[in-house]
Amino acid sequence: MVVMFPVRLHTVPIRLVPREIALLLIKTPAGFPSPAQDDLEEPIDLGAWLVQHPAASYIMRVEGNSMTGAGILHDDFIIVNRAKKPRAGSIVVALVHGDRTLKRLARIEGRFWLIPEAEGYPNTLVDENVEIWGVLDGVARRLP
């Protein structure tokens, strides 16, 4: 019997709207201020930078805390790429008995497992009841 405590994910449609933002390719000291006008580079489109395969990617909202050890928090947006091949060590969205969950894919003693990144959540053996749905490409979060 598999007991799951999934991170619930809500799918958000991707609409890439080009919004270029000035990019400073310098390290930003947290101490003394630095005049930055001389360091301006070409603008960057964050949507295009975050989403590698728009036709095969989805933005989802994370609900739950099983991946906090990987820096993925409740209410974060994640970019999930269905075109990317899952590998051991990848963070993946998997369907377990039809429910989506976000976990790290690991290979242990020749078998694949879904591993949470927080205490109190069980590992799940990847078997015929599990489908790897997509691979995590990025995380987006607004700070308060």
Side-chain angles (χ1 to χ4, degrees), residues 94-113:
L95 295 173
V96 179
H97 297 285
D99 293 325
R100 282 190 205 101
T101 189
L102 181 69
K103 299 289 183 276
R104 186 169 305 277
L105 184 63
R107 187 176 185 126
I108 302 169
E109 297 179 0
R111 301 185 82 176
F112 283 98
W113 292 81

Side-chain angles (χ1 to χ4, degrees), residues 21-89:
I21 300 171
L23 173 64
L24 296 176
L25 291 177
I26 59 170
K27 293 182 179 177
T28 303
F32 293 104
S34 170
Q37 282 129 343
D38 297 336
D39 299 316
L40 283 175
E41 296 289 331
E42 292 296 315
I44 184 172
D45 178 342
L46 287 177
W49 183 71
L50 281 170
V51 181
Q52 297 174 7
H53 299 100
S57 296
Y58 295 85
I59 296 176
M60 303 171 122
R61 186 182 295 267
V62 175
E63 184 178 306
N65 296 305
S66 72
M67 293 302 288
T68 56
I72 303 168
L73 308 179
H74 175 78
D75 272 345
D76 281 353
F77 285 106
I78 56 172
I79 296 88
V80 180
N81 185 340
R82 296 204 67 197
K84 198 172 192 177
K85 183 178 179 180
R87 302 181 187 282

Side-chain angles (χ1 to χ4, degrees), residues 113-132:
W113 292 81
L114 299 175
I115 309 292
E117 297 273 343
E119 293 286 324
Y121 297 90
N123 297 342
T124 303
L125 177 65
V126 176
D127 61 14
E128 67 276 354
N129 297 310
V130 176
E131 174 191 346
I132 305 301

